C-alpha cells in the first residue's frame, strides 16, 4: 500500500515541495513552482520583482539542479525577475525513461521561456547548461533573448559518427592542431591555461 507509480511519485514530490516552500527562511528571495513540459513535471525557482529590465533565466550544469543558483538569487532579484529551471532528468524534475539529448533540453528551455517567462530575458548557463542556454537562445531569437552568459560552459554532445566526421573535416582535434601533429591548414595559437588561483577565486565568487 506504500508503493506508488513513478509518475505519481513526482506529483507527490511537487506537492510536498510547494508546502515546504512556505517554511523556508529565504522565501522572500525565491519560491519553487512547477510547470509541465510535454506532460512531464518540471520544478523551477522564481524570485525578484517585476522591473523594466529583462528577466534572467538560469540553467544548471550536468548532475545539478536549480538549487545550484541559490546564492545568486538575492543579488540578481534586486533588479530582475529571476528564474532557475531543473532540466528534465535532474533535480526535482521528472526523470522519464527516454533518450536525453542536447536537443531535448534545448527545447525545454525554449518552451520555458515561451510559456513561463513570457517576456524578454537573458539566459545564463553553467557546464552543459551553457551549451543548452546558447542553443535555446539561438533557436528563440533576439526578440525574446537579449543576451547569453556562459559560465565554464561545456560543448556539444555528439555521436561517435558525428565526432569522426568533424575530426576529418577539421584536420584533427584542437589539441593536435595546437601542437602541430595534425594535417591541417588551420593554425591555432598555443594554449595558455588560466592560473589556478584565478579559477579558485572565480569559483568562490560564483558558488
Amino acid at each position: 500500500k506504500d508503493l506508488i507509480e513513478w509518475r505519481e511519485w513526482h506529483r507527490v514530490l511537487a506537492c510536498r515541495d510547494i508546502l515546504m516552500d512556505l517554511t523556508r527562511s529565504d522565501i522572500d528571495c525565491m519560491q519553487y513552482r512547477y510547470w509541465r513540459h510535454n506532460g512531464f513535471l518540471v520544478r523551477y525557482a522564481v524570485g525578484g520583482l517585476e522591473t523594466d529590465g529583462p528577466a534572467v533565466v538560469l540553467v544548471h550544469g550536468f548532475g545539478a539542479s536549480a538549487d545550484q543558483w541559490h546564492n545568486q538569487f538575492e543579488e540578481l532579484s534586486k533588479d530582475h525577475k529571476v528564474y532557475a529551471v531543473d532540466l528534465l532528468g535532474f533535480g526535482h524534475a521528472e526523470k522519464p525513461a527516454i533518450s536525453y539529448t542536447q536537443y531535448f533540453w534545448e527545447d525545454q528551455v525554449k518552451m520555458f521561456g515561451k510559456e513561463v517567462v513570457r517576456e524578454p530575458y537573458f539566459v545564463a548557463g553553467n557546464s552543459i547548461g551553457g551549451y543548452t542556454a546558447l542553443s535555446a537562445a539561438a533557436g528563440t531569437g533576439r526578440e525574446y533573448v537579449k543576451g547569453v552568459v556562459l559560465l565554464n560552459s561545456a560543448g556539444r554532445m555528439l555521436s561517435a559518427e558525428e565526432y569522426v566526421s568533424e575530426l576529418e573535416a577539421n584536420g584533427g582535434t584542437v589539441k593536435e592542431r595546437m601542437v602541430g601533429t595534425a594535417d591541417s591548414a588551420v593554425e591555432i595559437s598555443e594554449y595558455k591555461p588560466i592560473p589556478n588561483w584565478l579559477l579558485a577565486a572565480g569559483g568562490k565568487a560564483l558558488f
Side-chain angles (χ1 to χ4, degrees):
K1 67 179 181 180
D2 294 326
L3 297 178
I4 58 174
E5 196 264 341
W6 69 274
R7 293 289 298 273
E8 179 67 8
W9 161 250
H10 284 90
R11 191 186 71 82
V12 171
L13 182 63
C15 292
R16 178 182 178 276
D17 269 355
I18 293 170
L19 290 174
M20 291 294 291
D21 200 46
L22 300 175
T23 68
R24 289 179 25 249
S25 60
D26 58 352
I27 189 169
D28 292 335
C29 177
M30 62 183 243
Q31 297 178 355
Y32 284 112
R33 298 178 185 170
Y34 278 80
W35 159 74
R36 285 191 182 273
H37 175 61
N38 290 339
F40 300 118
L41 276 171
V42 174
R43 184 187 71 161
Y44 67 94
V46 58
L49 303 173
E50 299 290 346
T51 66
D52 295 333
V56 178
V57 176
L58 305 171
V59 186
H60 64 78
F62 194 88
S65 71
D67 295 334
Q68 172 181 335
W69 305 103
H70 178 82
N71 292 329
Q72 280 71 47
F73 259 83
E74 183 175 1
E75 190 64 31
L76 289 174
S77 63
K78 293 177 181 178
D79 301 303
H80 303 273
K81 191 69 174 288
V82 187
Y83 300 85
V85 59
D86 279 351
L87 296 176
L88 282 164
F90 298 106
H92 285 204
E94 280 197 48
K95 300 163 182 64
I98 59 175
S99 177
Y100 294 93
T101 68
Q102 64 263 40
Y103 310 110
F104 179 76
W105 290 319
E106 172 191 335
D107 183 64
Q108 179 190 340
V109 173
K110 286 194 298 186
M111 295 308 297
F112 182 80
K114 181 179 179 179
E115 297 180 359
V116 178
V117 182
R118 295 185 295 181
E119 64 174 301
Y121 61 92
F122 287 98
V123 59
N126 166 245
S127 183
I128 194 62
Y131 177 72
T132 301
L134 187 62
S135 300
T140 301
R142 294 182 179 180
E143 181 180 359
Y144 284 100
V145 178
K146 298 303 181 182
V148 180
V149 179
L150 302 180
L151 303 168
N152 195 23
S153 179
R156 296 174 299 160
M157 296 181 292
L158 301 176
S159 66
E161 293 77 13
E162 290 173 317
Y163 179 68
V164 171
S165 177
E166 288 204 359
L167 284 182
E168 293 175 350
N170 294 328
T173 66
V174 172
K175 180 178 179 181
E176 288 170 341
R177 284 180 281 156
M178 286 169 58
V179 298
T181 58
D183 183 15
S184 173
V186 180
E187 293 194 10
I188 302 176
S189 59
E190 181 181 357
Y191 172 66
K192 296 181 180 179
I194 300 173
N196 287 332
W197 65 266
L198 184 56
L199 290 174
K204 289 181 179 179
L206 287 173
F207 308 109

